[in-house]
Amino acid sequence: MSLTALFKTKTVFSLEVFPPKKSSPTDAILPTLKRLQSINPDFISVTLGAGGTEHCDGTVEIANIIQNKLNIPAISHVPGLYQTKSEVLALLDRLDSINVKNILALRGDKIPGKEPAGDFNHANELVQFVHEQRPDFSIASACYPNCHTEAPDFVDDITHLKEKVDAGADHLISQLFFDNQAFYDFKEKTEIAGIHVPIEAGIMPCTNKNQIERITQISGVPIPKKFAAIMDRYQNSEEAMLDAGIAFAVDQIIDLVSQGVDGIHLYTMNKSKIAKRIWDETKSVFAAADLAKQTANQ
Ligand code: FAD
């Protein structure tokens, strides 16, 4: 079943991993992937460093393991800013050769001092190119419930989001957020704008204060008071931070699934034990929501 069709039948639960550093062997991630396999996610996406071609090998290798050894659908992230059209086509051929026909088309993070390749200045151009060149590929794109940091306002950001969908993106994966209301408000804006593809909510379990401060600084995602209090109170206790961070993510997920979200995309940060705990504490909610969806579809 295609990923797009899957959204019609269930609340999708997907995971995101990143390839090991070049200095580590690819096998280093195998135990993590095996543990993630036990969750039986609907797909696992693999990040690709913004630099493009120089990072492709690790991403393709991990996507190959996920797709062909673990038998879980893999999505390869493809950032376009520093890649030429022919480099993107070569990457798509490599993915095709391992039977991975799902990509997350991105502009990519800007690298200070590095000159863009010039073929894809924004993700919509990449989506359009892939859609035209490889119509057999399924294309996801990124979206931002708290607005993208470079956008002057939401109207501008959502206008460009619509361009990505009109260019051929058939599903969206959101940036992480900690306040579900921001996601619901964003969802309403997309509906008003005529965006009707499934939108997965990006959830990042926060179990380490420094890591979260770094990520929120880069992404511009606000930290709500409730979560700031958790980080302040438990930052010196690894165990308490872990328990509270997981509970916060579980709470977010249960609320989102109850409100009928299309899917949850868990930023695992390659911490498979945390992902497994979250799944164990929410899987009954997914099952009940799926049953309700199937009954409604009959
Ligand atoms: P775009 O859609 O191009 O948007 C970027 C900005 O430009 C926005 O402000 C938008 O409003 C504006 N814009 C869009 N189109 C136009 C246009 N045509 N004209 C003018 N302005 C426009 N980065 C990586 O390098 N590798 C990864 O693996 C990776 N994975 C990610 C996974 C997810 C789920 C998410 C949410 C992000 C990921 N990123 C990754 C980060 C992403 O590359 C950055 O957030 C980047 O800054 C924007 O990417 P985009 O595809 O959303 O860009």
Side-chain angles (χ1 to χ4, degrees):
M1 189 188 289
S2 74
L3 288 183
T4 324
L6 200 61
F7 282 101
K8 294 200 174 90
T9 65
K10 66 186 304 243
T11 308
V12 165
F13 184 67
S14 61
L15 306 173
E16 178 170 313
V17 297
F18 51 82
K21 287 201 176 88
K22 270 188 180 163
S23 49
S24 314
T26 312
D27 285 359
I29 197 179
L30 273 180
T32 301
L33 292 178
K34 283 265 175 211
R35 264 194 298 273
L36 294 179
Q37 184 188 27
S38 72
I39 295 175
N40 199 19
D42 291 304
F43 68 82
I44 301 182
S45 79
V46 191
T47 65
L48 204 164
T53 39
E54 62 202 84
H55 301 288
C56 285
D57 290 352
T59 300
V60 173
E61 275 180 55
I62 303 301
N64 189 16
I65 293 171
I66 293 168
Q67 180 81 34
N68 299 307
K69 292 211 170 107
L70 306 184
N71 292 317
I72 296 168
I75 290 191
S76 171
H77 295 204
V78 178
L81 192 60
Y82 300 103
Q83 295 201 68
T84 60
K85 286 182 177 174
S86 56
E87 284 166 344
V88 166
L89 284 177
L91 173 58
L92 297 181
D93 282 344
R94 284 183 74 183
L95 292 170
D96 202 358
S97 74
I98 57 165
N99 204 24
V100 172
K101 290 187 186 230
N102 300 307
I103 65 157
L104 173 59
L106 300 149
R107 183 196 69 185
D109 286 320
K110 286 184 174 166
I111 303 173
K114 187 167 165 112
E115 196 59 34
D119 282 350
F120 308 109
N121 290 316
H122 284 289
N124 68 305
E125 296 161 20
L126 178 63
V127 173
Q128 189 174 346
F129 179 73
V130 176
H131 190 61
E132 283 167 5
Q133 298 290 323
R134 303 304 305 263
D136 51 333
F137 270 62
S138 148
I139 309 168
S141 275
C143 63
Y144 302 84
N146 290 109
C147 200
H148 187 265
T149 42
E150 293 166 34
D153 53 46
F154 252 126
V155 174
D156 194 78
D157 207 25
I158 302 260
T159 302
H160 293 309
L161 184 61
K162 176 89 166 53
E163 285 166 4
K164 290 200 267 199
V165 173
D166 290 347
D170 38 36
H171 125 234
L172 300 171
I173 305 180
S174 95
Q175 178 63 283
L176 63 107
F177 58 89
F178 300 112
D179 177 3
N180 286 2
Q181 193 54 49
F183 183 82
Y184 300 136
D185 293 346
F186 167 76
K187 190 91 201 312
E188 204 180 332
K189 291 185 185 90
T190 61
E191 276 156 20
I192 292 167
I195 295 171
H196 301 303
V197 294
I199 304 181
E200 279 194 272
I203 298 294
M204 182 177 283
C206 300
T207 52
N208 176 314
K209 189 179 185 209
N210 292 340
Q211 178 195 47
I212 286 312
E213 282 179 346
R214 205 180 56 246
I215 289 168
T216 50
Q217 203 179 5
I218 297 168
S219 63
V221 172
I223 298 181
K225 273 188 190 158
K226 187 178 164 186
F227 191 69
I230 290 177
M231 292 202 299
D232 284 344
R233 185 154 293 254
Y234 305 124
Q235 58 179 308
N236 297 324
S237 164
E238 212 176 294
E239 200 185 348
M241 192 62 219
L242 189 69
D243 285 347
I246 288 174
F248 192 89
V250 166
D251 189 46
Q252 269 194 289
I253 292 171
I254 291 176
D255 179 55
L256 286 157
V257 175
S258 309
Q259 300 291 332
V261 72
D262 296 312
I264 299 288
H265 185 69
L266 196 68
Y267 293 97
T268 69
M269 306 303 286
N270 291 11
K271 291 181 178 161
S272 52
K273 288 180 185 157
I274 295 176
K276 177 86 173 68
R277 264 181 71 178
I278 291 175
W279 175 242
D280 285 342
E281 289 183 36
T282 56
K283 61 185 173 195
S284 61
V285 169
F286 279 89
D290 291 350
L291 198 62
K293 202 168 196 171
Q294 281 150 20
T295 312
N297 283 344
Q298 275 168 7

